[in-house]
Amino acid sequence: MAPLTPRLVVPIDVKKQPWEQKVPLHNRWHPDIPPVADVTEGELFRVEMVDWSGGRIRDDNSADDMKSMDFTIAHYLSGPLRIVDSEGVPASPGDLLAVEICNLGPLPGDEWGYTAILERENGGGFLTDHFPSARKAIWYFEGIYAYSPQIPGVRFPGLTHPGVVGTAPSVELLNIWNEREKRLAETNQETLQLCEVLHQRPLAHLPNPENCLLGKIQEGTAEWHKIANEAARTIAGRENGGNCDIKNLSRGSKVYLPVFVEGGNLSTGDMHFSQGDGEISLCGAIEMSGFLELKCEIIRGGMKEYLTPVGPTPLHVNPIFEIGSVEPRFSEWLVFEGISVDESGKQHFLDASVSYKRAVLNAIEYLSRFGYSKEQVYLLLSCCPCEGRISGIVDSPNAVTTLAIPTAIFDQDVKPKRFGGRPLPGPQLRRLPDLLSCSNDGHPPVTQGEK
C-alpha cells in the first residue's frame, strides 16, 4: 500500500499576518502555551511555517525593512504540538522525543528568500565593526538551486533546514533560563567585548511582552500578561533545542529532544533554504517560509538513558542530532585559515571567535578581488553551503579555524593559478551600491566611512 499523504496540522496562508493564521502561532517559550494539535507517534504529519519575521521583509531592492526591524517579534513558530503514543498517552517529562525530518521545502507559490546584514544600531552581526549598515539580498529558487540578482555570478544548491525546533520548557527550566540570563544582562556591558568590539546587541534577550504572540491565549487577558512577562525569547538556543541553526538538519535527519512538560509541546519555525556555518551576518541564512513533514517517536525515560547533564540539575542537558544522508556534493573547495590574532595584531589566547573572524575576513578579502564588493561576499558567506571548522583548540596561543567554500557555486574560476601565477579576475561584476540600498529615495547607501 502506498504511504498516506501527510496530515496537515498547521496550515499557513502567506497573505495573512502571523496573528491572523487559522491555527495560532507563537513567538515565545513557556510551558503554559497550549498545544494547537495532537500528533500520534509514528504518524506522518505536515507543519507549515511563516518566515521568522512573519512576512515583514519585502521582495525588493531596499534594505529599509531590515534597518528598522523590531526584533521583539522573533521567531514566529508553528505549534506547540502535543505528542501522544498509539494509546493516547502523551510524552512525559524525562522522555526523549525523536523527531525525523521526512521532507521539507519552500511553500508553493512563495519560492523566494532573503539574506541580510543588520544595522549596527539594531544589533549588527559577527563583523559589525567592518559592515555597520543594513544590506539585503533577495534569492529566488529553481528547484534545489538559489540565485540572487544582488550577488550575480553565483548559483548553488540549498541544504534546506529549520532554524528552530524545540520542546517547551518546564517551569523549573524556564526559571533557570531567566535567572541566568538576567545575571548576564546585568553585567557591565561596557566591559565586555567580542573580538575586541564592544557589544552592540543585548547580552541576553529577556522576557518582553512587546509583540508577544502566545498561540491560543487571548492577548490582554490576565493569563496573557502573566505568561508574556515570564516567557523566554526564542533568539537563543537552549536545553530544549530551539534556535540551533544547524544547517545539516535536513531531509532524513533526526533530532532527539528532551521532554520537559506533558506532551513535549513541539514547535518549529525559522525555515532556511541554505546557510553557511555560523550564519555570520545574523540574519544570514536564506530566510523563507516553508514546510516540514515529520514523524515522532517517544523514547520513554530517554533523557536519563541517553543525555548526560552538564550542570547543576538533571535539566542541564542538550539535544542530540542525527544528520541525514542527503546534502549537496562538492569536490573542490577553497579553504581559508584563521588564527587568534585580531586585525590590530593583538595576540589572543586560544580564542576561536577571533580566529574564525580572521578566517572569514581572509575569505572576504580574497573573493573581493573577483569583482564582488566586500558586502556581497559577507552576505554570500553567511548563506552559501560553506563549512566552518575548529582545526586546533589546544596549541597555545593560537586557536586555528578554517572556512571552506565550494568553488562550484561560482560561474568563474576563483582558484589560485599554479606555478605562482596570480589569480585572474573574471568578468567584473556590478558593485553592491548599484544593487542593494538602505533607502529607496534615490540616495546611495550609507557606507562605513559615512557613519
Side-chain angles (χ1 to χ4, degrees), residues 110-425:
D110 203 41
E111 293 93 350
W112 71 281
Y114 57 91
T115 305
I117 300 171
L118 302 184
E119 192 82 3
R120 178 168 53 191
E121 286 71 24
N122 202 19
F126 190 49
L127 302 181
T128 190
D129 51 326
H130 291 263
F131 304 100
S133 300
R135 296 290 188 270
K136 184 177 72 179
I138 300 297
W139 298 87
Y140 299 111
F141 310 146
E142 294 177 334
I144 65 171
Y145 291 94
Y147 70 93
S148 172
Q150 287 80 33
I151 309 178
V154 171
R155 182 174 182 263
F156 55 81
L159 187 56
T160 304
H161 60 280
V164 177
V165 57
T167 51
S170 62
V171 171
E172 181 182 358
L173 183 58
L174 179 63
N175 289 337
I176 289 172
W177 292 352
N178 287 340
E179 288 170 9
R180 74 190 184 196
E181 292 174 19
K182 182 174 183 290
R183 287 195 297 271
L184 177 62
E186 291 172 347
T187 304
N188 181 3
Q189 185 166 329
E190 294 302 316
T191 67
L192 294 179
Q193 295 181 330
L194 177 64
C195 301
E196 293 297 294
V197 179
L198 288 176
H199 282 274
Q200 300 295 320
R201 288 170 286 174
L203 301 183
H205 297 271
L206 301 179
N208 183 347
E210 186 178 356
N211 289 320
C212 189
L213 194 62
L214 299 176
K216 291 182 175 180
I217 299 174
Q218 185 65 40
E219 184 174 356
T221 63
E223 182 182 21
W224 185 93
H225 283 287
K226 176 182 181 298
I227 294 175
N229 283 284
E230 298 173 348
R233 302 287 301 282
T234 61
I235 293 173
R238 301 185 181 91
E239 285 84 351
N240 70 326
N243 192 23
C244 300
D245 287 325
I246 296 175
K247 71 180 179 64
N248 298 88
L249 188 65
S250 191
R251 189 178 288 105
S253 299
K254 279 187 179 181
V255 55
Y256 297 85
L257 295 166
V259 174
F260 301 106
V261 300
E262 182 180 286
N265 283 6
L266 173 70
S267 297
T268 186
D270 187 28
M271 284 293 290
H272 297 163
F273 187 84
S274 177
Q275 179 197 301
D277 281 335
E279 199 184 5
I280 53 177
S281 73
L282 190 59
C283 186
I286 299 181
E287 311 283 350
M288 69 174 194
S289 65
F291 73 91
L292 291 174
E293 292 175 359
L294 305 171
K295 286 197 299 186
C296 293
E297 176 189 357
I298 300 170
I299 303 175
R300 299 294 183 183
M303 277 180 63
K304 185 175 182 180
E305 184 173 358
Y306 295 107
L307 303 183
T308 301
V310 181
T313 78
L315 302 178
H316 286 80
V317 295
N318 294 100
I320 297 174
F321 298 86
E322 183 179 338
I323 299 305
S325 57
V326 178
E327 62 179 39
R329 292 189 297 176
F330 300 102
S331 59
E332 295 186 346
W333 302 74
L334 272 178
V335 181
F336 297 88
E337 182 189 68
I339 59 175
S340 44
V341 176
D342 66 28
E343 300 94 301
S344 71
K346 179 179 178 181
Q347 178 73 63
H348 296 256
F349 179 71
L350 296 179
D351 191 323
S353 293
V354 170
S355 178
Y356 197 56
K357 184 180 181 184
R358 278 288 303 274
V360 173
L361 288 172
N362 288 340
I364 290 174
E365 289 293 334
Y366 179 83
L367 291 175
S368 66
R369 301 176 183 180
F370 292 86
Y372 293 103
S373 72
K374 293 179 181 180
E375 288 90 347
Q376 283 174 308
V377 182
Y378 183 29
L379 286 166
L380 178 62
L381 296 182
S382 198
C383 68
C384 79
C386 57
E387 301 281 350
R389 296 286 187 272
I390 295 178
S391 301
I393 201 69
V394 294
D395 297 320
S396 303
N398 279 326
V400 177
T401 61
T402 58
L403 178 66
I405 305 166
T407 58
I409 71 175
F410 299 98
D411 68 2
Q412 59 177 306
D413 188 2
V414 297
K415 296 177 293 183
K417 307 306 178 186
R418 294 186 178 183
F419 310 113
R422 291 174 61 91
L424 299 176

Side-chain angles (χ1 to χ4, degrees), residues 85-121:
D85 64 20
S86 58
E87 297 179 354
V89 179
S92 301
D95 293 345
L96 268 187
L97 199 60
V99 182
E100 179 181 0
I101 298 177
C102 301
N103 197 13
L104 76 176
L107 291 180
D110 203 41
E111 293 93 350
W112 71 281
Y114 57 91
T115 305
I117 300 171
L118 302 184
E119 192 82 3
R120 178 168 53 191
E121 286 71 24

